[in-house]
Amino acid sequence: MRAYQSVSKPAAILLAILMAVTAFAFIAADHSEAASDITIDGSKIRGDGFKNDADGTLVVPVHSDLENADITMIVKEGSRTWHQDYSIESGWTDVKMTLRLSEGNHEVDIEITLGGVTQATQSYTIHVGNNVWANLSTYVALVVIAIIVVIIAVVYMRANPRNKPTTTFTQLEEEKAAKAAAPAEAPAEKKGTDKVKYVSSRRR
């Protein structure tokens, strides 16, 4: 019994040491995983130029603590996935990806990986507006409006004919010459203007 007790004590001590070392290793591993070399500034993510049936650009500010890093940006929306590789230097870099999305709001998940290991994640809502030029009905409406304007202009011109063209300088000179060549009309005789002869009342 004493031999069993003397052997079990060193074994217990060794087991305790192994457990302590193992726990420290797990803590160190967790700390190393928590300290990421790549981060995302979620407040400055933006979507530029997104319209239905038109390409847009997703801009993600990424900060790297490494001198040079080959990263991959992955964008997910439901079952759809886009990914693109980039080579960035230390400091802040705007990582851009071109996408084409339908009209409406799109909730996407952004993930930055380094060597296949996820470094940073962020969610973002992309708003896609309506591109009026992508809709055929817009062109039809413009054509109809143009036809209506032409019809109104024609009706107005018929109801209000234009005045005769302005007389040219040559025509004015010809009219003056014609007036000068025409004989002057004799003045009309005045009626009832004959004077009454004076008859003297003196007796001869």
Side-chain angles (χ1 to χ4, degrees), residues 40-61:
I40 295 175
D41 188 349
S43 63
K44 294 183 179 180
I45 298 175
R46 69 180 189 273
D48 294 337
F50 279 98
K51 298 288 184 181
N52 64 323
D53 298 328
D55 292 339
T57 303
L58 178 63
V59 183
V60 181

Side-chain angles (χ1 to χ4, degrees), residues 177-193:
K179 289 180 180 180
E185 295 181 358
E189 294 182 355
K190 296 181 180 180
K191 296 181 179 180
T193 58

Side-chain angles (χ1 to χ4, degrees), residues 5-130:
Q5 291 178 350
S6 62
V7 174
S8 62
K9 287 182 179 179
I13 294 173
L14 181 60
L15 181 61
I17 293 173
L18 290 174
M19 291 178 64
V21 172
T22 303
F24 178 81
F26 276 116
I27 294 173
D30 292 340
H31 181 269
S32 63
E33 291 178 0
S36 177
D37 296 322
I38 308 293
T39 55
I40 295 175
D41 188 349
S43 63
K44 294 183 179 180
I45 298 175
R46 69 180 189 273
D48 294 337
F50 279 98
K51 298 288 184 181
N52 64 323
D53 298 328
D55 292 339
T57 303
L58 178 63
V59 183
V60 181
V62 176
H63 186 272
S64 174
D65 293 331
L66 304 176
E67 189 67 23
N68 291 292
D70 295 328
I71 64 171
T72 300
M73 183 165 74
I74 303 171
V75 179
K76 299 179 180 179
E77 184 193 22
S79 59
R80 304 176 67 186
T81 302
W82 301 266
H83 60 85
Q84 188 171 341
D85 297 329
Y86 306 86
S87 181
I88 63 174
E89 298 179 353
S90 60
W92 285 103
T93 303
D94 282 343
V95 179
K96 301 178 181 180
M97 180 181 289
T98 300
L99 304 172
R100 174 168 292 194
L101 302 171
S102 59
E103 182 182 356
N105 293 326
H106 296 262
E107 299 286 343
V108 298
D109 295 320
I110 304 168
E111 181 180 353
I112 302 294
T113 63
L114 177 65
V117 179
T118 300
Q119 297 288 314
T121 58
Q122 186 69 44
S123 297
Y124 181 73
T125 301
I126 300 175
H127 176 71
V128 181
N130 181 27

